[in-house]
Structure formats: structure tokens, C-alpha cells
Amino acid sequence: MIRGTRPDSPYLALLPLERGAFIGGLLLIVVLSGIVSFGTESGSHPLLYGAFLVYVGVLALPLFGAFLRTPGLFHPLFFYATWTGLRSLLTGDAVLGATGLEFHRALAGMSRTELELVAAQSFLLEALALAALYVGYGVFRNIRVPRLRQPAQPRRLAKAAVLWMALPTVAVAILSMEAGSLGNLMLQRGIASDQRIAAEIGGQWHYLAGVGTIVPVVWLAFDRNAVKHPVFWMVALFGAFLVFAATGSRSDVIWPFILIALGWALRHRTIPYRTLWVLAGIAIVLVGLLGEFRAATRGAATLADVEFQAEIWSSAQAGYETMVRNSTTNNGQIAVLRSVPDRVDYLLGESYLSIPFVVIPSRLWPGDTPDAAGKLNATYIYGNPLTGIPTGPVGEAYWNFSYAGVVMAFLVFGGVLRFAGSLYRTNSEHPLIIPVYLYTIMALAPGSNEIYNFVHAFVPVIGFYLFVRLVDRVRLGRTSAPRTAGMEGSQ
């Protein structure tokens, strides 16, 4: 844990040592990438590396106090730049900037030089998007937000959490019955998407199977010491198991634990760096391990037929290689930039039309609902309509309205971050605002897939918050007497 006297700030004010670590990390990435780019035969094109430098430079602006008057680790602008930027750099963008791109899954027949020029365009568009985000945040400065009344501290949080877990448990039970068994359900990722259970009975059961992952995040917002309760961790692990059993999604397993660590940091006004490093290592291992499991399920008739080796080092290596591929040879944004408008026309808002349908189960809507960007990318550019390939918010904005779309999308998103930051700053101890703010800065971005993910988390957060209040007020069918806001206890 980095020591130092941290100034009082709801955003967790940035310590000089932390600022230096961030700047030093970016410089190290730039230097090492430059050595590979110019010092090896497999180095990237100079224009690609130059565009990479521009992107890193714009990414680093919130680290400087002259740019951001009150920098903090959870400041919406600072967090978006560092979380999105550093994560992308460490999981593939730095490799792309250093070694270039020899081939791309969706762009067969293109030379290395052509691919690297498209990759350079991608980095420059990312820099333009960040610049528009900063401007948008500054423009929407006069935003007024309400101060919400602090609710009473609930006494039956654990009871509410256990009762809430009945929702995802029932959903997984229904899916298992449709599949024939829980084992058969876990083999679903190994078959084509049009043959999966979701295509027959609707994706709403998969969604309900994941609503348990928000429980520990909201619980921690109510009770800063929730991590000391064994039931808290039992619920967190059970929720992660249910969502993976139903969907096979690796990110849905990992994200709740990252959010738990960040929620703990917000509640305690400190950063558990050692825990975060451990979580990062576990996340990489899980990405590889669960990916190997999914690959092993292809063609398996039963769970007993699945064979894979659970080795920590090989799993970590496989997980990192998967993340690098998604930033390089399987980069959906690069595929969009090269294909639009030469091979594929502009969408002119088509992918954004899917957003209003985010809360409507497809089974309840007559006819097909509009597809989000990832599905459109897989269908029209990759030629595989049975999956989804993320375009990223920048790639989606470009695909819809060219360069103007990128600028406008991120200008507006800058205003959204300003509003979210102001709402949190005014209500930094409110148990509803804390998880909503965390999901906003972690998951929300101006893209249809990202908005889907945010809304799908936002709805159960609201639902579980209200459920906690209800369980705490009702006992054996009778409404209990109201308690004072200062009452202690979380069980």
C-alpha cells in the first residue's frame, strides 16, 4: 500500500507518489515499445508508433494538475482515462504500437503496411475521442444535482442478500432443466449460438442468472465492513458460479470482484494495491483457465468428456494471449475502420437504435429487435452472424457518422461523466449512489454494447437496493417501526 497523507476528497485525492507511478508507468511503456519498434526487425511502422505516442500523450493529460484542478483516483475523467487507457495498453495496445500488425482475421489479403496504417488511424481516433471527452467535461460544468436523504442503516443485509440470490438460482435451474442437466448447460458455449437454449426460450433467463453478481457491490455500499462477513463471500462466489454456468462469460465472473475491491477503496478512502495486484493476476489466470474450459467443451457430449489441463502459468499465458489478440489480430475497431465506407456503408445511427430495447426481452417483442454494434460487426464485416465482435465505442461512432460521430459521441459522454461525478460528490456516502457511480465509471461508454452492459447492471442495483429496504422494514408480514439513521449493524 502506498503511504502518504491523502487530502480529503470523495474522489480519493491523488498522492504525489501515485502520480509519479502513473507517469513513470506510461513512460516505461512508451520507451519499451519504442525499443521494440525501432530496434527489432518485427518492429512497427514509424507512423503507427507515432500515432501510438499521440494517443498516450492525450491519455496522460489528466495526470497533470494544470489540466485537472482536483485530480483523484476516482475522479470520473481521471478514472476513465486511466482505467480505459492503461487497461488497453497493458492488454494489447502497447504490443500493437510496438510490433505492428502482420495480419487481421477480418482483413485477409491486406499487406502489413496497409494494416499498420489502419492501426495508426485507430490510435489517432482514440486520441481525438479522448480530447472530445475532455472538452465535453469542461463544457458541461454548471450541472446541479440533488442531495439525497441518507437512508437508515439496515439490520438484515445478509438475509436480504440470501433471499435475492433465489432469483439467479431459479434462472439457472430453469436453464438446467431445459438443457437436461447443469453439466449440459455448461456445455452451451461449445455449440453454435443459434442452437443454444437462449435461442429457444429467450435470453431473459441468462440475464436473471447474472443479477446475483451485483449483491456484494451494493452490500459493501451499505456496510463498509461487509468483507468481514463470511456470508458476503459465499454470496459473491455463488453469484460468480451461477453467471458462468449460465453464460460462460469470463468477464461476468471477474468484474464483480474488481468492483468489490474498488468499492472497498471508496468506502475506506484508501487503495488496497496488494489486493488489486493479486486480483489482476487471478483475473488473467481465470481468463485463460475459463477460456480453455470453453474451448474444451466444443464437441463434448457430457461434462465428463471435457478434458483440459488446469495449470496456473499456462492459463495465465493463454489469458494474456487472448487479450492481446482482441487488441491486435482480432481488433473489431480496426476491422470497422478499414471496411467503412469502402466495403460496408455507414450505419447512420442503426446500431444506436438497439439501445431503447435493452430492457425489453426479445421474446416479448414482435419481430426482430435492432442489433447492437458487436452483432453488426460480426455479421457484415467478419461474416459470422452467430457471434459478436466488439467495435469499441470509437469504432461504433465512426461506423455510424464518420469522424463527426466520434467527436459528438464523446462530447456528450463528457457531460454524462460530469453529471455522474457531481452526483457522487454531493452524495458520496449514499448506498445507492456508490454502486451506481462505480458501474458508471467502470462500464459506461458511448457505445451500444457498453450501454447495454451498464443498464443490465443498473436495473438490478436499483432492484436490490429497494429489496434491502423492503426486507428491513417488513417482519412476518408486518411493517416494523422506523429506526433512526444512526442505528448500527448490518445483519
Side-chain angles (χ1 to χ4, degrees):
M1 184 177 295
I2 295 179
R3 302 291 182 182
T5 303
R6 195 182 297 276
D8 185 32
S9 169
Y11 294 135
L12 211 60
L14 195 65
L15 293 173
L17 186 57
E18 290 169 335
R19 187 199 304 270
F22 278 116
I23 294 175
L26 288 176
L27 287 176
L28 181 62
I29 290 173
V30 166
V31 170
L32 292 178
S33 299
I35 291 174
V36 174
S37 177
F38 293 102
T40 64
E41 294 182 358
S42 61
S44 62
H45 193 285
L47 286 177
L48 172 56
Y49 183 72
F52 172 71
L53 289 182
V54 172
Y55 168 61
V56 175
V58 177
L59 190 67
L61 287 178
L63 286 166
F64 299 96
F67 177 82
L68 200 59
R69 189 174 300 175
T70 56
L73 291 166
F74 287 94
H75 188 286
L77 210 58
F78 178 86
F79 190 93
Y80 183 85
T82 54
W83 167 254
T84 303
L86 283 176
R87 182 183 57 173
S88 65
L89 288 174
L90 295 175
T91 58
D93 277 0
V95 174
L96 178 61
T99 63
L101 198 59
E102 293 187 0
F103 74 96
H104 191 283
R105 279 184 55 194
L107 305 173
M110 290 187 64
S111 68
R112 173 169 180 160
T113 300
E114 290 175 317
L115 288 172
E116 294 190 346
L117 291 179
V118 178
Q121 181 189 5
S122 178
F123 277 128
L124 292 177
L125 268 183
E126 290 283 355
L128 176 65
L130 283 172
L133 177 73
Y134 302 157
V135 172
Y137 186 87
V139 168
F140 293 96
R141 64 180 62 187
N142 296 319
I143 294 180
R144 293 187 177 184
V145 298
R147 182 179 294 276
L148 305 179
R149 185 174 64 86
Q150 190 75 10
Q153 178 75 9
R155 293 183 299 181
R156 291 189 284 273
L157 262 170
K159 180 179 180 181
V162 172
L163 289 173
W164 180 267
M165 293 304 294
L167 279 175
T169 302
V170 168
V172 172
I174 290 174
L175 289 168
S176 297
M177 286 189 293
E178 289 291 330
S181 67
L182 179 62
N184 289 341
L185 177 63
M186 298 180 70
L187 298 178
Q188 288 285 297
R189 281 284 175 166
I191 62 178
S193 61
D194 60 340
Q195 299 175 11
R196 296 174 189 169
I197 293 174
E200 299 176 7
I201 66 173
Q204 67 273 10
W205 298 110
H206 286 90
Y207 172 67
L208 285 177
V211 299
T213 59
I214 58 91
V215 169
V217 183
V218 180
W219 187 343
L220 190 56
F222 271 110
D223 177 12
R224 69 197 302 265
N225 295 314
V227 295
K228 297 179 181 180
H229 298 278
V231 176
F232 175 89
W233 292 109
M234 292 171 62
V235 168
L237 292 170
F238 186 54
F241 167 74
L242 289 176
V243 74
F244 183 75
T247 68
S249 172
R250 293 167 289 181
S251 61
D252 286 346
V253 172
I254 294 167
W255 272 62
F257 296 97
I258 296 175
L259 283 159
I260 289 170
L262 295 178
W264 187 93
L266 270 183
R267 299 293 277 128
H268 290 265
R269 297 289 191 267
T270 187
I271 298 293
Y273 282 103
R274 293 176 184 174
T275 301
L276 288 177
W277 279 113
V278 171
L279 281 176
I282 293 174
I284 293 174
V285 171
L286 281 177
V287 168
L289 191 62
L290 299 180
E292 289 177 7
F293 173 82
R294 281 171 44 176
T297 62
R298 296 189 180 99
T302 66
L303 200 60
D305 296 331
V306 176
E307 297 181 1
F308 73 106
Q309 295 181 345
E311 297 180 1
I312 293 179
W313 174 249
S314 62
S315 296
Q317 185 177 13
Y320 185 72
E321 289 174 353
T322 298
M323 291 186 285
V324 170
R325 280 197 301 271
N326 291 337
S327 294
T328 54
T329 58
N330 196 34
N331 188 314
Q333 180 169 300
I334 289 178
V336 167
L337 295 180
R338 179 61 184 88
S339 303
V340 178
D342 295 337
R343 290 171 45 204
V344 180
D345 292 334
Y346 288 111
L347 293 176
L348 301 177
E350 180 182 345
S351 67
Y352 298 128
L353 293 177
S354 66
I355 295 174
F357 294 88
V358 64
V359 294
I360 302 176
S362 58
R363 303 283 291 187
L364 300 181
W365 186 260
D368 296 330
T369 58
D371 290 326
K375 184 69 171 180
L376 293 172
N377 189 22
T379 301
Y380 295 112
I381 296 179
Y382 279 78
N384 184 6
L386 300 181
T387 186
I389 307 292
T391 63
V394 172
E396 181 175 3
Y398 175 83
W399 193 359
N400 278 280
F401 301 109
S402 190
Y403 299 100
V406 175
V407 173
M408 289 305 301
F410 280 84
L411 277 173
V412 173
F413 187 55
V416 172
L417 288 185
R418 169 73 80 169
F419 174 79
S422 299
L423 186 63
Y424 169 71
R425 187 177 63 247
T426 306
N427 303 275
S428 60
E429 296 295 328
H430 197 284
L432 176 60
I433 299 303
I434 292 171
V436 169
Y437 182 66
L438 277 175
Y439 277 105
T440 299
I441 60 177
M442 284 278 292
L444 188 59
S448 56
N449 290 99
E450 290 76 14
I451 294 174
Y452 261 59
N453 293 334
F454 172 75
V455 173
H456 283 163
F458 178 81
V459 171
V461 163
I462 298 292
F464 181 60
Y465 171 82
L466 295 176
F467 185 70
V468 169
R469 303 292 305 279
L470 177 65
V471 169
D472 206 51
R473 292 179 65 86
V474 177
R475 182 183 300 174
L476 297 177
R478 293 178 298 172
T479 303
S480 62
R483 300 184 302 278
T484 60
M487 186 167 290
E488 298 295 332
S490 65
Q491 297 233 30

